[in-house]
């Protein structure tokens, strides 16, 4: 019996891998499968796997990483994976958050918010989605439709938001105003009205990769609104195929796109003006100019592309450079930038994304020497700065 118990996980692992490989090779829709471990039960479809792990997506769009050596049973539940019906998603959210919240759906979202406020938030999220899609369509890239409705949860106050952060494994702090989590596929924020009654004692951004904007001298309501746009951009980008929800995404790519869409002018003028100045993120530009003139090392773009280190050592400088580089690329090489995003998102998400591979992908996409591109990039920023000064 001890021998059988030792062999059983190995045979289950082999059966699981054989089944997953067969599912991957078939053109037909994936099956709905169940994997059990001693701790939990996973029901959904496998979206990526190797000999060690399977990433499972459940019927609401949430992701879980399953260690195959821990699987104790495996079976097919249904011949075809199907999403949960909208009424069941709403009921799950209602059960999770309780009667003080209302749950509404829009074309692309399910909004969970304090009663009487969900519709207004839904409008903001839908406007962002339309601006995002239109922006890329004008530049020759049709983003794919999200597979699932995207969930946004708005809490009535900061305290309840922080409680939810802890459940989500996100470190809460006064500088954290909201975040998008690629595994739950939810954006979480707290209510704008509540923000106006609070003092923001921490004016530094957190180091969390998918979290927030700090107040940076703005009042809390304005900072929280910017956070909502920033995190909603993350959510749309991860759900429309521009980023992958598992595996490594260069952080400058993820944050660069989100900071680009912080600009109200860019979202409201998605293609009409040929003047780049009309689409800048003014706060990020001003910060980057100060950084580049006082602290930025010469010829540092190559390291920035290869590594996320600057985000850990100097977060605000990294965000500013992510914005500046992204804005330069989308304004001067939009087709290549779109292809670059596509190439990154189509990588094997379970393979390490080395510094050399990051650099190679960048050079291949933009067909240039990085030092040459850096010269052009900094000249572009200098020209924007000169135009901004002249305008003022």
């Amino acid at each position: 019996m001890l021998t059988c118990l030792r062999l059983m996980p190995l045979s289950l692992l082999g059966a699981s891998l054989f089944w997953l490989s067969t599912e991957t090779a078939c053109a037909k829709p994936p099956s709905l499968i169940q994997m059990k471990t001693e701790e939990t039960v996973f029901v959904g479809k496998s979206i990526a796997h190797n000999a060690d792990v399977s990433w499972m997506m459940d019927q609401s769009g949430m992701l879980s990483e399953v260690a195959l050596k821990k699987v104790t049973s495996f079976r097919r539940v249904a011949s075809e994976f199907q999403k949960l019906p909208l009424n069941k998603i709403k009921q799950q959210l209602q059960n999770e958050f309780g009667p003080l919240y209302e749950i509404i759906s829009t074309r692309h979202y399910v909004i969970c918010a304090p009663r009487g406020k969900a519709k207004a938030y839904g409008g903001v999220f839908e406007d962002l989605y339309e601006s995002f899609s239109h922006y890329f369509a004008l530049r020759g890239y049709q983003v794919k439709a999200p597979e699932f409705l995207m969930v946004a949860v708005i809490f009535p106050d900061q305290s309840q938001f922080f409680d939810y952060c802890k459940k989500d494994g996100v470190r809460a702090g006064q500088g954290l105003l909201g975040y998008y989590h690629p595994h739950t596929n939810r954006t979480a924020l707290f209510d704008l009205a509540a923000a106006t009654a609070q003092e923001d004692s921490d004016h530094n951004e957190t180091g969390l990769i998918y979290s927030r904007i700090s107040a940076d001298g703005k009042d809390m309501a304005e900072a929280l609104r910017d956070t909502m746009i920033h995190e909603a951009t993350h959510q749309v980008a991860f759900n429309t195929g521009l980023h992958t929800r598992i595996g490594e995404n260069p952080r400058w790519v993820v944050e660069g796109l989100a900071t680009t869409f912080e600009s109200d002018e860019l979202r409201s003028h998605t293609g009409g003006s040929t003047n780049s100045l009309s689409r800048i993120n003014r706060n990020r530009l001003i910060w980057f100019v100060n950084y580049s003139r006082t602290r930025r090392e010469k010829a540092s773009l190559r390291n920035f592309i290869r590594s996320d280190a600057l985000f850990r050592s100097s977060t605000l400088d990294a965000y500013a450079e992510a914005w500046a580089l992204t804005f330069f690329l989308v304004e001067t090489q939009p087709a290549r930038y779109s292809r670059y995003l596509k190439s990154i998102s189509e990588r094997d998400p379970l393979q390490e994304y080395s510094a050399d591979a990051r650099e190679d992908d960048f050079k291949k996409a933009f067909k240039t020497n990085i030092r040459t591109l850096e010269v052009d990039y900094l000249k572009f920023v200098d020209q924007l700065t000169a135009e901004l000064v002249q305008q003022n």
Side-chain angles (χ1 to χ4, degrees):
M1 182 172 290
L2 288 175
T3 302
C4 292
L5 286 172
R6 291 192 186 104
L7 290 176
M8 185 171 66
L10 293 177
S11 51
L12 280 169
L13 174 61
S16 300
L17 287 173
F18 175 77
W19 183 269
L20 294 172
S21 299
T22 304
E23 289 278 292
T24 303
C26 293
K28 66 179 182 179
S31 300
L32 181 66
I33 59 177
Q34 179 191 84
M35 288 186 182
K36 286 186 179 181
T37 67
E38 291 184 359
E39 294 84 18
T40 190
V41 177
F42 302 90
V43 178
K45 62 179 178 179
S46 176
I47 62 169
H49 68 275
N50 57 24
D52 301 313
V53 301
S54 175
W55 278 93
M56 295 285 288
M57 179 177 284
D58 74 13
Q59 291 174 283
S60 68
M62 289 190 177
L63 292 174
S64 298
E65 184 181 18
V66 183
L68 292 175
K69 68 181 180 180
K70 293 184 177 181
V71 173
T72 58
S73 70
F74 175 90
R75 70 184 181 93
R76 184 170 71 171
V77 177
S79 60
E80 185 174 333
F81 174 90
Q82 292 185 340
K83 297 180 290 185
L84 277 183
L86 177 58
N87 64 325
K88 289 192 175 182
I89 292 176
K90 286 184 174 181
Q91 189 58 55
Q92 284 184 353
L93 288 168
Q94 199 74 72
N95 293 341
E96 181 178 355
F97 293 101
L100 298 181
Y101 290 81
E102 62 178 342
I103 317 294
I104 70 163
S105 59
T106 64
R107 184 179 177 188
H108 299 101
Y109 293 89
V110 178
I111 308 295
C112 175
R115 291 200 169 276
K117 298 186 176 183
K119 184 177 180 180
Y121 279 98
V124 174
F125 279 93
E126 283 292 348
D127 286 347
L128 182 279
Y129 181 90
E130 294 304 321
S131 294
F132 187 95
S133 300
H134 187 54
Y135 182 89
F136 279 96
L138 286 173
R139 288 154 179 80
Y141 187 91
Q142 296 293 332
V143 296
K144 68 179 184 180
E147 182 178 3
F148 298 88
L149 289 176
M150 295 172 282
V151 175
V153 182
I154 297 90
F155 292 90
D157 54 49
Q158 191 181 57
S159 175
Q160 292 184 56
F161 167 67
F162 281 176
D163 289 342
Y164 183 76
C165 290
K166 293 173 186 176
K167 293 178 183 177
D168 236 1
V170 173
R171 187 180 63 187
Q174 289 300 316
L176 182 67
L177 305 182
Y179 64 93
Y180 165 70
H181 199 307
H183 294 170
T184 66
N185 204 26
R186 293 177 177 180
T187 293
L189 308 156
F190 61 96
D191 186 43
L192 280 166
T196 61
Q198 298 185 38
E199 292 292 330
D200 180 25
S201 61
D202 184 346
H203 287 198
N204 294 314
E205 293 199 34
T206 72
L208 298 172
I209 186 164
Y210 296 118
S211 305
R212 86 351 1 262
I213 310 167
S214 71
D216 287 342
K218 305 172 186 176
D219 64 61
M220 274 287 280
E222 182 184 359
L224 187 51
R225 181 183 175 279
D226 287 351
T227 300
M228 180 164 56
I229 297 299
H230 184 103
E231 303 306 332
T233 301
H234 282 326
Q235 191 173 35
V236 174
F238 277 91
N239 278 269
T240 56
L242 296 184
H243 307 320
T244 176
R245 286 175 57 195
I246 58 176
E248 297 180 62
N249 297 279
R251 193 168 176 188
W252 77 264
V253 174
V254 174
E255 300 299 351
L257 187 58
T259 51
T260 296
F261 272 83
E262 288 172 9
S263 166
D264 291 339
E265 291 77 10
L266 179 137
R267 296 194 310 277
S268 59
H269 301 92
T270 51
S273 173
T274 58
N275 182 8
S276 296
L277 191 65
S278 67
R279 292 182 288 275
I280 64 167
N281 184 326
R282 182 183 292 249
N283 290 335
R284 302 294 182 182
L285 173 61
I286 291 171
W287 192 285
F288 179 73
V289 170
N290 175 269
Y291 164 58
S292 65
R293 292 177 179 176
T294 60
R295 301 180 299 284
R296 186 178 185 271
E297 296 182 6
K298 291 184 178 180
S300 61
L301 181 60
R302 180 171 178 263
N303 286 336
F304 188 68
I305 290 166
R306 290 171 58 88
S307 168
D308 296 337
L310 188 64
F311 285 91
R312 295 186 289 272
S313 64
S314 186
T315 305
L316 289 172
D317 291 343
Y319 272 73
E321 176 127 29
W323 170 80
L325 177 58
T326 300
F327 190 70
F328 165 71
L329 295 173
V330 298
E331 290 292 312
T332 63
Q333 303 183 56
R336 287 177 176 173
Y337 176 75
S338 297
R339 287 196 295 270
Y340 175 59
L341 291 183
K342 189 171 187 293
S343 69
I344 294 175
S345 69
E346 291 177 348
R347 291 185 68 260
D348 181 347
L350 300 183
Q351 285 190 352
E352 178 188 2
Y353 201 6
S354 68
D356 287 345
R358 288 188 182 196
E359 182 178 352
D360 289 345
D361 286 347
F362 186 90
K363 291 193 291 190
K364 182 178 179 180
F366 296 103
K367 302 183 186 303
T368 186
N369 175 279
I370 291 178
R371 287 200 174 186
T372 301
L373 183 139
E374 185 168 9
V375 171
D376 293 338
Y377 151 55
L378 295 177
K379 284 182 179 177
F380 175 82
V381 173
D382 286 343
Q383 183 177 347
L384 285 178
T385 307
E387 291 176 6
L388 183 61
V389 170
Q390 187 176 12
Q391 186 183 77
N392 294 335

